[in-house]
């Protein structure tokens, strides 16, 4: 059990059984804000489930849709009351996100816009399920899953990230402000091991997280696991490197490099007719690429590295803002692990130091780009590697090698015109 946080400051409360509830078990949020988070012990969550009864009364889909639209407006620009924090304005929210999670206001504005601009959710007759959504800490756009479950479930419990619980708490507060029935909502922050308990207590689950977290749970008909996307881009032969970089830069560095859809691997593909012969014919594997693809990879990688080096930390670049780290030393650890993945034939082409310091204790892992050596493929430790800042690995490959990389990616950016 986490020790009681005795430091002065405010504590974000859990929302249980229809009201905001404090807890003796708390954890400090990152940064210097003095904020902490109430944690719900597993035994308390289990007791809440035993007492839970599906809410009575009609709550039609059209009403839910209207209230969620209103709530998103409040979430973005309104003032809401968050348990333990009191009234929180839009400016207060942005300040708190920056101080605790390193998310600059420019990214908060963009992500609020993405939530409000999401395609309309289908209006269907809700069922009687108690749903769970376990959120990541990298971005709050995953709150879309909370809204989707709120639209179709009897009730939804939200397990926020301990790194960034403020957005989930604000959304719960915004829904309550619209008149959403409180018995249909829950904010249930827990220790990581308690996730399995929450999965067992609920009828339907959506779980976000990195490789370690998602590997700890198994997907099923009622459990959706949303893990790393390993985004990749396939660059065909004959591509102008400068034009490719114009297209790739926002895919790599957009949203602070924090989305699972960000491009992490750029594959320069050789013409099928000149691809390497099968193993044994010329001493090459089918995944290896001949000189033309390697030359394109080198030219593209140099230009993309220059573009990433040009991004600034502070003042925030409104076009491609970078997020900061608030856990001391974490930026350096992330950057160091990347470099530990470099093999003998690989090199880092970005020229700035791996990390930088900002104002108010902020730390940054600076954008990075690695050019991988001959023979690199889907098994390379930097292919599809996800980190919470902009990073991409560039390699050359035959069509077979490119297809193998793409097969492990949930987000494949192909050249216009379709398949290779």
């Amino acid at each position: 059990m986490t020790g009681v946080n005795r430091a002065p400051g405010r504590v974000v409360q859990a929302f249980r059984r229809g009201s905001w509830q404090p807890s003796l078990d708390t954890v400090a949020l990152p940064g210097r804000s003095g904020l902490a988070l109430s944690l719900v012990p597993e035994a308390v969550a289990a007791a809440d489930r035993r007492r839970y009864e599906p809410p009575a009364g009609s709550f039609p889909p059209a009403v839910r849709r209207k209230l969620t639209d209103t709530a998103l407006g409040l979430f973005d620009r309104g003032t809401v009351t968050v348990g333990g924090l009191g009234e929180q304005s839009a400016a207060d929210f942005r300040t708190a996100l920056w101080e605790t999670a390193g998310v600059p206001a420019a990214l908060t504005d963009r992500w609020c816009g993405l939530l409000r601009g999401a395609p309309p959710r289908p209006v269907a007759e809700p069922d009687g399920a108690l749903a769970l959504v376990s959120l990541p800490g990298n971005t709050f756009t995953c709150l879309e899953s909370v809204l989707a479950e709120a639209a179709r479930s009897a009730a939804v419990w939200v397990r926020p990230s301990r790194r960034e619980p403020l957005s989930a708490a604000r959304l719960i507060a915004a829904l309550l402000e619209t008149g959403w029935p409180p018995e249909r909502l829950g904010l249930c922050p827990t220790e990581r091991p308690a996730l399995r308990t929450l999965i067992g207590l609920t009828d339907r689950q959506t779980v976000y997280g990195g490789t370690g977290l998602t590997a700890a749970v198994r997907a099923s008909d009622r459990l959706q696991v949303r893990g790393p996307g390993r985004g990749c881009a396939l660059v065909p032969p004959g591509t102008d490197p400068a034009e490719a970089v114009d297209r790739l830069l926002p895919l790599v560095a957009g949203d602070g490099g924090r989305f699972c859809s960000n491009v992490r691997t750029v594959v320069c593909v050789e013409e099928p007719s000149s691809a390497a012969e099968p193993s044994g014919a010329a001493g090459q594997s089918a995944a290896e690429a001949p000189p033309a693809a390697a030359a394109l990879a080198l030219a593209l990688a140099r230009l993309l590295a220059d573009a990433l080096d040009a991004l600034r930390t502070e003042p925030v670049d409104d076009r491609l803002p970078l997020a900061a780290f608030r856990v001391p030393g974490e930026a350096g650890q992330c950057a160091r692990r990347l470099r530990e993945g470099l093999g003998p034939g690989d090199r880092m082409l970005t020229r700035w130091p791996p990390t930088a310091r900002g104002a108010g204790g902020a730390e940054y892992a600076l954008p990075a780009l690695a050019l991988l050596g001959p023979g690199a493929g889907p098994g390379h430790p930097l292919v599809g590697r996800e980190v919470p800042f902009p990073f991409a690995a560039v390699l050359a490959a035959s069509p077979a090698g490119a297809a193998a990389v793409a097969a492990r990616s949930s987000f494949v950016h192909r050249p216009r015109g379709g398949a290779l």
Side-chain angles (χ1 to χ4, degrees), residues 65-119:
R65 175 63 188 275
K66 181 178 179 180
L67 294 184
T68 55
D69 288 346
T70 302
L72 282 174
L74 288 171
F75 180 89
D76 185 2
R77 293 296 169 187
T79 295
V80 300
T81 301
V82 179
L85 302 185
E87 288 193 350
Q88 183 191 67
S89 68
D92 293 336
F93 174 54
R94 283 157 174 77
T95 297
L97 269 189
W98 168 243
E99 291 179 344
T100 60
V103 178
L107 274 184
T108 299
D109 291 343
R110 170 169 163 75
W111 293 350
C112 285
L114 290 176
L115 278 174
R116 298 185 72 174

Side-chain angles (χ1 to χ4, degrees), residues 230-332:
R230 299 186 181 92
C232 75
L234 306 181
V235 181
T239 297
D240 181 293
E243 291 181 1
V245 168
D246 288 341
R247 180 171 66 93
L248 287 169
L249 181 62
L251 297 177
V252 173
D255 297 295
R258 290 194 166 197
F259 278 16
C260 63
S261 57
N262 280 108
V263 165
R264 308 294 178 173
T265 312
V266 179
V267 187
C268 295
V269 190
E270 186 55 77
E271 290 276 10
S273 60
S274 58
E277 297 177 4
S279 179
Q284 292 178 303
S285 76
E288 290 178 342
L296 175 59
L298 175 60
L300 185 153
R302 284 174 170 167
L303 291 175
L304 185 53
D306 288 343
L308 290 172
D309 276 332
L311 299 179
R312 68 172 186 263
T313 55
E314 298 175 9
V316 171
D317 187 327
D318 289 336
R319 185 175 62 100
L320 292 172
L322 299 176
F325 288 73
R326 290 299 185 180
V327 176
E330 187 176 30

Side-chain angles (χ1 to χ4, degrees), residues 144-286:
E144 171 62 22
S145 289
V146 175
L147 298 175
E149 287 298 344
R152 70 171 181 151
S153 308
V156 56
W157 287 3
V158 182
R159 178 183 179 267
S161 164
R162 288 182 14 177
R163 285 175 171 269
E164 196 288 275
L166 298 176
S167 57
R170 182 172 174 83
L171 181 62
I172 295 294
L175 287 167
L176 292 169
E177 192 79 20
T178 70
W180 199 278
E183 65 272 15
R184 294 181 179 271
L185 295 171
L187 183 70
C188 192
T190 70
E191 297 275 20
R192 179 168 168 172
L195 175 58
R196 283 183 174 272
T197 297
L198 291 180
I199 289 173
L201 293 174
T202 50
D203 303 316
R204 181 169 55 233
Q205 307 85 24
T206 303
V207 175
Y208 291 89
T211 303
L213 179 62
T214 56
V217 296
R218 290 186 177 274
S220 66
D221 291 342
R222 66 188 185 100
L223 170 61
Q224 293 187 53
V225 179
R226 299 183 180 177
R230 299 186 181 92
C232 75
L234 306 181
V235 181
T239 297
D240 181 293
E243 291 181 1
V245 168
D246 288 341
R247 180 171 66 93
L248 287 169
L249 181 62
L251 297 177
V252 173
D255 297 295
R258 290 194 166 197
F259 278 16
C260 63
S261 57
N262 280 108
V263 165
R264 308 294 178 173
T265 312
V266 179
V267 187
C268 295
V269 190
E270 186 55 77
E271 290 276 10
S273 60
S274 58
E277 297 177 4
S279 179
Q284 292 178 303
S285 76

Side-chain angles (χ1 to χ4, degrees), residues 301-374:
R302 284 174 170 167
L303 291 175
L304 185 53
D306 288 343
L308 290 172
D309 276 332
L311 299 179
R312 68 172 186 263
T313 55
E314 298 175 9
V316 171
D317 187 327
D318 289 336
R319 185 175 62 100
L320 292 172
L322 299 176
F325 288 73
R326 290 299 185 180
V327 176
E330 187 176 30
Q333 290 176 4
C334 287
R336 185 165 55 252
R337 286 172 188 152
L338 270 188
R339 282 156 176 77
E340 288 171 353
L342 293 171
D346 309 329
R347 48 186 169 140
M348 199 69 74
L349 294 189
T350 37
R351 294 188 297 271
W352 287 110
T355 62
R357 291 191 174 274
E363 297 179 3
Y364 294 88
L366 296 181
L369 182 135
L371 177 64
L372 304 187

